[in-house]
Amino acid sequence: MDHQGRFRRAALTLGIPDNEVSRFIQHLRLSIRLSGASSVVPVGQFGGLPRLPVGMDWPSDGVSPLPFIFSVDCAALPRVDGFGLPADGSLLFFLNHEQAAATGERRYGRVVYVPAGTDTEVGTGSTDDAFVGEQYDVGATLRAEFPDWFGAGEEDKEDQDDEDDLSPFQQQLARDLERDLPHLDELCALANELWPPDNGYASACIGGYADEEVIKSIAEQTLAWREKTGEIVIPVAKWYSHVENEAHRLTSEWVSLAHFPVDNELYYRSDGSFVIRHDDLAAGRLDEALPVAELIP
C-alpha cells in the first residue's frame, strides 16, 4: 500500500502545502507492531519451537544454542514504504540477550531467513525452558514513528519541553523543523490518526527508528575507526559534536529490524533488538543485522 501517498492526499485535503508535507514525510516512519490476542489474524509466532530448514542445526553462538525469540511470515505482514523486508518467506530471531548485553558480540544474536517453499521441520536443538518460551500467535498493526527529538503531537511535545532532555544539537533540529513546518501539529495529529499509537503491551515492533543510543554507539565506532586509519582528525573538544552529527547522518542509513522486551526477573527492564542498514536489508543480507541488548537493574 502507498502509505506516503495516502498521507499526502489526506494532508493536502486539509489545506497543508505540498512542500511541508514532503518535508514531514522525510521524518515519518511506520513500524509494524506485533501483539497477541485471541482475535488477531496470526502473522507470526512467539516462543515455542521454530520451524527450521530441514537439516539445519539450531543456531548457536559457537558453544551453546541461542534462545529462540519469535518468527514472522513476511508475506502476512503489512508492507511499509521504504522498508525492504523480503516479500515472502519467514524471519526467525534468536538472541541470548544477557550475553549480548555483557559482551556486545554479534555471535549472541542471529536472524535466519527461510525462503518461501523451503522444506522445514520443527527445530529440536534445544528444549530447555531458558531457550524455549511460552508459545503464542501475534497479529500486526501499523504505527507512526518519529525521531526522538521530534515533537510528535501535543502530548509528546509537552514531554520534550524540558530542554535538559535534548542536546543543543537536537534542540536546533527541533527549532529548524518548527520554523519550516508551520503546520507541524496538524501533520503529527494526522499521522497519529491514520496510524494510532497503542500504549498496550507489544510483543515486538518491526521497522521504524533504531534506538538513539545504538546509533550513537555506531557513530562513535565509525569515527574512531576513521581517526585510527588517519582519514580524519577530531579535536577532543569537538568529539561529542562530531558524534551527534554522524549519528544524525546514520539515522537515515539504519533501521530497526526488530525490537522486543525479554522476560528477565533479575532486571527492571530487559530489551533485545536487531538493527540493520537499509541497503543490507534491501539486498537480503540479513546476516549483517546487528544484535543489541539492554539490561536495566
Side-chain angles (χ1 to χ4, degrees):
M1 182 176 181
D2 181 10
H3 298 293
Q4 291 186 2
R6 178 189 179 195
F7 180 84
R8 183 182 299 278
R9 289 188 294 272
L12 293 176
T13 299
L14 295 175
I16 300 175
D18 185 66
N19 65 320
E20 281 195 58
V21 179
S22 296
R23 176 75 189 276
F24 183 86
I25 286 176
Q26 293 175 5
H27 300 286
L28 170 64
R29 290 187 186 179
L30 299 183
S31 64
I32 304 168
R33 185 180 184 277
L34 303 179
S35 58
S38 58
S39 60
V40 301
V41 176
V43 300
Q45 167 195 324
F46 262 73
L49 295 168
R51 294 198 66 87
L52 296 170
V54 172
M56 179 180 176
D57 293 333
W58 187 290
S60 76
D61 59 20
V63 177
S64 303
L66 294 171
F68 169 62
I69 308 299
F70 73 100
S71 64
V72 290
D73 176 0
C74 295
L77 293 175
R79 306 308 297 173
V80 174
D81 304 324
F83 185 47
L85 279 182
D88 51 26
S90 299
L91 290 179
L92 286 64
F93 296 85
F94 297 82
L95 179 69
N96 184 327
H97 65 285
E98 291 187 342
Q99 288 298 325
T103 68
E105 295 182 16
R106 284 178 176 262
R107 66 191 180 102
Y108 291 111
R110 186 174 173 190
V111 180
V112 175
Y113 174 57
V114 182
T118 302
D119 292 333
T120 61
E121 60 187 355
V122 175
T124 58
S126 177
T127 56
D128 190 298
D129 287 344
F131 297 93
V132 182
E134 177 184 357
Q135 179 175 335
Y136 62 95
D137 292 334
V138 290
T141 55
L142 292 177
R143 70 173 187 178
E145 283 196 15
F146 305 90
D148 289 345
W149 52 267
F150 201 94
E154 289 300 325
E155 181 177 350
D156 289 337
K157 204 169 183 182
E158 290 174 4
D159 292 340
Q160 294 196 13
D161 278 343
D162 184 357
E163 291 194 352
D164 290 340
D165 292 341
L166 298 176
S167 69
F169 180 80
Q170 291 174 320
Q171 292 172 30
Q172 187 60 53
L173 289 175
R175 285 194 293 268
D176 290 345
L177 189 75
E178 291 178 0
R179 179 198 65 212
D180 295 340
L181 299 181
H183 296 87
L184 178 60
D185 289 345
E186 294 95 321
L187 289 164
C188 289
L190 176 59
N192 287 323
E193 177 184 339
L194 294 176
W195 305 287
D198 189 333
N199 295 323
Y201 179 81
S203 298
C205 286
I206 294 177
Y209 281 94
D211 182 81
E212 181 181 11
E213 290 303 315
V214 173
I215 295 300
K216 186 179 293 185
S217 176
I218 295 173
E220 290 174 339
Q221 295 173 41
T222 300
L223 293 176
W225 175 253
R226 293 176 65 192
E227 273 205 309
K228 183 178 180 179
T229 59
E231 181 183 344
I232 58 173
V233 176
I234 302 176
V236 174
K238 298 290 186 179
W239 173 256
Y240 187 73
S241 63
H242 277 71
V243 168
E244 284 208 295
N245 276 282
E246 179 67 6
H248 183 61
R249 185 186 70 80
L250 290 173
T251 297
S252 64
E253 295 184 4
W254 289 77
V255 64
S256 174
L257 182 56
H259 184 272
F260 44 88
V262 181
D263 290 335
N264 192 313
E265 296 179 356
L266 300 179
Y267 295 89
Y268 168 73
R269 188 175 120 195
S270 179
D271 292 334
S273 64
F274 288 87
V275 297
I276 191 169
R277 289 181 182 274
H278 280 287
D279 56 354
D280 286 329
L281 179 58
R285 296 188 290 265
L286 291 161
D287 55 331
E288 294 296 325
L290 177 66
V292 182
E294 181 181 29
L295 300 174
I296 299 178

